[in-house]
Amino acid sequence: MANRWRGDVVVVVDGKRCVARLTLGALAELEEGLNEASLVGLVERFEASRFASRDVVALLGAGLRGGGCKFSDAQIAQANIEGGPMAAAKAAAELLARAFVVPE
């Protein structure tokens, strides 16, 4: 079950319901994989709608691995994400936002 206060986002990949979560390890993986000095640059790109498909794949891949689903970025890039590219981008943005939101 997805827990939004833990940062969980549900993503349906190739018909399989998966929980994605940006753990500390997943965040470190993103910084390294996207050549960002910090995640602030990535957050700013999403806020300004200047993100690339590579960013979406990397976020979903790291988040899915953080949630326990073992997909490589290459598999995510080739997968059928329910809702298409827009749903994938929305899920990636939600993952990023939930990683830095403090529950009320």
Side-chain angles (χ1 to χ4, degrees), residues 11-18 71 79-83:
V11 182
V12 179
V13 182
D14 290 334
K16 179 183 176 193
R17 184 182 183 276
C18 300
F71 290 103
N80 178 25
I81 306 296
E82 186 175 278

Side-chain angles (χ1 to χ4, degrees), residues 19-84:
V19 173
R21 177 182 318 116
L22 289 179
T23 62
L24 187 56
L27 291 168
E29 177 186 327
L30 279 171
E31 285 177 347
E32 183 177 325
L34 293 174
N35 296 319
E36 286 287 347
S38 73
L39 290 175
V40 172
L42 183 59
V43 171
E44 288 172 346
R45 288 202 311 259
F46 268 83
E47 286 177 343
S49 295
R50 292 184 294 111
F51 57 90
S53 55
R54 170 179 65 102
D55 298 329
V56 173
V57 168
L59 271 162
L60 288 180
L64 287 163
R65 288 186 293 278
C69 294
K70 303 300 178 194
F71 290 103
S72 69
D73 286 357
Q75 288 172 310
I76 294 300
Q78 297 299 314
N80 178 25
I81 306 296
E82 186 175 278

